Amino acid sequence: MSEGTPSGFTLPVQVVESAGVTAWLAEDHSVPVISIAFSIPGGAALDPAGQEGAVALASALLTEGAGSLDANAFQEAMRDNAISFNFSADRDEFSGSFRCLSDALPEATRLARLALTAPRMEARDIERVRARAIAGARQALENPRGQAGRAFWSAALPGAYGHPPGGTAETIATLTGDALRGMPARQLRKGGLLVAASGAITVGQLRDVMAALFGDWPSEEPSGLPRIPPFAATGVTVVPMESPQSAAVFGHQGLAVDDPDWEAAGVVLRILSGGGFSSRLMQAVRVERGLAYGIGAGPEPVAGRSLIMGSVATENARMAETLSVLRGEWAKMAASGPTAAEREEAIAYLTGSQPLSFTSTRQVANILLALRRNNRPLDWLANRPARLEALTRERLTEVAARILLPDSLAVVVAGRPVGL
């Protein structure tokens, strides 16, 4: 693997341990670029009630000044050394990453340690970042897709995992400086910490980075992690909104990420809903009937489980027909599975496209992190083509019947749909 050049399927991954933390490393010195990524359970799920968006806003503030560096000085140090950082909170995890040239690794490590251990979170920076977050939260609800998505998650997973990870305009406005400054102590723990690295970094260098970044963290998991509730099948819900188009978000319960059928389910979902113009939904909804410009669905992992969910937008007058076609195709695949030709095309695509996922150190680090998050073994990528090829049409039909639940599809439509 090298920056900008596809690699083969096999990544030489090393297991590196330091400071009570384990990392996966794909070492490659063909270009002098390093990417390191990590994740910890928690994220928005750790937001106290009434303080939704606290972890996300605090995450955005980590690079707005730290230690002796104010916001401008910290950003200048990043620019001067061509270092990029990303800290964010998703529904079920806090994640961080940085990318730099190999010569800048000491400075990147220093800045990352400052951001994680000594963020300044000064009042003026909080207000600036808060204003940006409020604007983003409001903008997300200006269109039917945003309204439908927010309502779907809230109904499907009531509680901590269902609220918007970034909070709402109302909750963001009430977050105090003390609430934000308390985030690192709640979130940054070694328990559940996953680390991955790729590029021009040696085992010894990675050990030093891990010790510097994570060595002082408490060893336990973040406290207060909530249990994920069962999926709530809510039927069809309409969120009234003045718009010439309606948007629908739909879905139902999926598999656990470490379920033995996860990979077969990915093949089924590519054929049904994830293969662009080759998918059954696109053929039925757009190509044959012209109901919508696009439609798609796939797995959405949350806290070790998943939802199978997707979206579509169309004219208000055509939403009812679109949902009828959607349910019909969902039920047809559940009952009969894919054809032999569909199976062959999907497996050929998934096998042939895999090397394109390894074209940069950032992609490789993120893939390694995802493999760890989903409890995959070290040789999972190397053996994937053989596992895919072994999936017969009969096996895929069994899996389709197991994972596709047309009677449990929950649908939230935002707009003025006719006939719903």
Side-chain angles (χ1 to χ4, degrees), residues 149-408:
R150 176 170 166 177
F152 179 91
W153 279 104
S154 178
L157 296 177
Y161 293 103
H163 72 253
T168 66
E170 295 74 20
T171 60
I172 297 168
T174 65
L175 295 173
T176 65
D178 288 342
L180 298 173
R181 295 183 191 100
M183 183 279 285
R186 297 198 316 274
Q187 175 66 85
L188 304 184
R189 310 291 180 91
K190 291 181 188 178
L193 172 64
L194 303 174
V195 183
S198 174
I201 180 171
T202 66
V203 170
Q205 288 174 314
L206 180 56
R207 285 194 179 114
D208 291 343
V209 171
M210 293 163 64
L213 298 187
F214 314 123
D216 297 334
W217 289 9
S219 59
E220 66 271 14
E221 286 191 359
S223 60
L225 283 173
R227 290 194 174 197
I228 186 169
F231 177 84
T234 55
V236 177
T237 303
V238 175
V239 179
M241 182 179 184
E242 291 301 329
S243 173
Q245 279 201 333
S246 292
V249 175
F250 54 87
H252 59 57
Q253 185 66 54
L255 301 177
V257 296
D258 56 359
D259 190 285
D261 285 337
W262 179 267
E263 205 159 36
V267 178
V268 170
L269 290 173
R270 172 169 176 79
I271 295 167
L272 172 65
S273 56
F277 278 97
S278 68
S279 76
R280 288 193 182 184
L281 286 184
M282 277 289 279
Q283 285 291 314
V285 170
R286 175 173 172 169
V287 176
E288 296 174 7
R289 296 173 178 85
L291 292 170
Y293 182 79
I295 182 171
E300 189 76 29
V302 185
R305 289 171 30 195
S306 72
L307 305 181
I308 298 174
M309 59 181 295
S311 64
V312 63
T314 189
E315 299 172 13
N316 288 323
R318 310 190 81 181
M319 179 55 77
E321 181 183 0
T322 301
L323 294 180
S324 176
V325 173
L326 161 67
R327 290 183 186 278
E329 293 298 325
W330 213 268
K332 188 186 303 182
M333 179 65 86
S336 304
T339 66
E342 287 173 330
R343 172 211 169 268
E344 183 176 348
E345 186 279 333
I347 289 177
Y349 173 83
L350 292 170
T351 302
S353 64
Q354 182 167 314
L356 299 178
S357 301
F358 309 138
T359 58
S360 73
T361 57
R362 179 185 285 119
Q363 286 178 305
V364 171
N366 288 337
I367 288 171
L368 293 182
L369 193 63
L371 293 176
R372 298 200 63 197
R373 190 183 296 118
N374 294 345
N375 299 316
R376 308 299 186 223
L378 277 171
D379 60 356
W380 191 85
L381 288 173
N383 296 332
R384 184 171 183 249
R387 289 195 309 273
L388 290 173
E389 192 58 44
L391 292 171
T392 64
R393 178 189 172 279
E394 291 73 21
R395 181 66 188 133
L396 294 175
T397 299
E398 293 173 357
V399 172
R402 179 190 174 201
I403 68 167
L404 298 176
L405 311 171
D407 294 336
S408 297

Side-chain angles (χ1 to χ4, degrees), residues 65-119:
S68 63
L69 304 176
D70 64 15
N72 288 334
F74 195 97
Q75 294 294 321
E76 286 177 4
M78 290 171 56
R79 287 193 299 270
D80 291 347
N81 293 277
I83 301 167
S84 63
F85 287 104
N86 181 58
F87 299 109
S88 62
D90 208 340
R91 296 181 185 276
D92 58 353
E93 70 177 10
F94 169 83
S95 60
S97 64
F98 68 82
R99 181 171 177 266
C100 65
L101 296 174
S102 54
D103 289 346
L105 180 60
E107 180 66 359
T109 304
R110 182 182 79 91
L111 293 177
R113 178 177 171 81
L114 285 176
L116 293 169
T117 61

